[in-house]
Amino acid sequence: MSPDGRIALVTGAGRGIGRAIAVKLSAEGLRVAMTARSAHELEATAAMCAGPTLTVPADITEATSTEAIFGVVEQAWGAVEVLVANAGAGFASRIERTSDGDWQRMLDLNLTAPFRCVRRAVPAMRRSRFGRIVVIASNAARIGEPYIAAYAASKHGVLGLVRSAAAELAADGVTVNAVCPGYVDTSMTDHTVDSIVAASGRSAEQARAELARKQPINRLITPDEVAEAVWFCVLSGGMSGQGITVDGGAVQA
Ligand SMILES: NC(=O)c1ccc[n+]([C@@H]2O[C@H](COP(=O)([O-])OP(=O)(O)OC[C@H]3O[C@@H](n4cnc5c(N)ncnc54)[C@H](OP(=O)(O)O)[C@@H]3O)[C@@H](O)[C@H]2O)c1
């Protein structure tokens, strides 16, 4: 595809992986609309972008926000051609201490919000017979680990959404893929480090080294490495329904 001027929407673009994706897509010539709750973080991301940007602050878990976000992009530029559903968060707890509210928060943010974005993006993509949808899942979409039942369930679920949507849209020129990172050097992993310190009494350095060792390359994944995989998904018209692991070789899928 020729990327120049294509219209992208990146959710959760205020920091971390979403910021790296927005900067990468902009550097490759796309117009990049971005959303997250924090307006000032979005502005900081936009300032790092090379081309036209649109910042749309919103809470993606609110039922009306999907329509509002897509409406702003369509009014300014036109229909979204490249959707990157990245906004998400983690949660760690023993199963018996996971409340209904904890469970629902994970599903709302990591599963229902991407579903609503995909559902909203698809009609225009079908009409134009072109679209790229990339969901940032996790290697927790492929394997379970202790203490992350709600997070892993939401990420396994979103991989099911990706695979089903890919099958449904294959003949329409729309590809749907997931990128499944291991532990990435972002504020989300900083929170995980804090939780390990609080629960185990280990030092922050020990906790971070422990998370680094989860990747056979013995370090955290960088946000740019995830953004490169997203870009690969955007470029390829022949790859769909895949979960691309970017985890230093931990999950050999
Ligand atoms: N970090 C990792 O190790 C890792 C590993 C595998 C997968 N992932 C996945 O990668 C994605 C990005 O993670 P990250 O590490 O970059 O996290 P992060 O640094 O915490 O960034 C998350 C982004 O999502 C936005 N967001 C969170 N809740 C939102 C809501 N309700 N409405 C709108 N935006 C919201 C945040 O902005 P606001 O808070 O301002 O809304 C922020 O821009 C997530 O889906 C995560 O599950 C991360």
Side-chain angles (χ1 to χ4, degrees):
M1 76 156 207
S2 163
D4 279 345
R6 293 273 191 195
I7 298 166
L9 171 64
V10 183
T11 73
R15 56 180 187 265
I17 294 170
R19 170 174 286 176
I21 294 166
V23 169
K24 173 70 178 167
L25 295 184
S26 180
E28 295 292 349
L30 282 78
R31 286 178 277 174
V32 182
M34 51 188 93
T35 187
R37 288 168 301 184
S38 164
H40 76 272
E41 289 190 348
L42 288 177
E43 291 305 330
T45 301
M48 298 167 77
C49 287
T53 56
L54 198 58
T55 59
V56 193
D59 182 339
I60 200 85
T61 62
E62 283 174 11
T64 53
S65 68
T66 314
E67 187 54 42
I69 294 162
F70 277 76
V72 170
V73 179
E74 283 164 3
Q75 271 216 317
W77 291 340
V80 171
E81 298 170 294
V82 174
L83 167 67
V84 184
N86 160 79
F91 173 75
S93 173
R94 296 168 72 108
I95 287 173
E96 63 270 35
R97 292 189 194 143
T98 301
S99 69
D100 286 358
D102 298 329
W103 177 264
Q104 196 58 50
R105 266 192 301 281
M106 283 293 96
L107 296 188
D108 287 350
L109 179 58
N110 295 337
L111 181 55
T112 304
F115 159 67
R116 288 186 179 137
C117 287
V118 170
R119 181 176 61 183
R120 181 59 178 76
V122 155
M125 289 181 175
R126 271 197 213 267
R127 273 197 301 277
S128 67
R129 303 199 61 77
F130 175 85
R132 296 285 184 267
I133 297 173
V134 186
V135 175
I136 306 305
S138 167
N139 67 359
R142 295 192 168 279
I143 52 165
E145 278 190 24
Y147 314 128
I148 59 164
Y151 181 71
S154 69
K155 294 295 187 179
H156 274 67
V158 90
L159 191 54
L161 165 69
V162 162
R163 288 171 168 159
S164 223
E168 191 171 325
L169 295 163
D172 293 312
V174 180
T175 67
V176 191
N177 291 288
V179 174
C180 302
Y183 284 92
V184 185
D185 195 1
T186 69
S187 61
M188 186 173 141
T189 294
D190 294 340
H191 287 304
T192 307
V193 167
D194 293 344
S195 307
I196 294 171
V197 169
S200 70
R202 288 196 280 279
S203 71
E205 291 68 31
Q206 285 171 323
R208 191 166 283 276
E210 207 172 288
L211 295 182
R213 282 196 297 275
K214 299 254 187 189
Q215 288 67 236
I217 54 177
N218 204 24
R219 63 167 174 80
L220 298 177
I221 302 298
T222 69
D224 286 344
E225 287 170 329
V226 182
E228 290 289 344
V230 170
W231 179 237
F232 181 61
C233 295
V234 172
L235 274 182
S236 174
M239 182 181 72
S240 197
Q242 302 305 307
I244 314 294
T245 45
V246 182
D247 65 358
V251 176
Q252 299 181 341

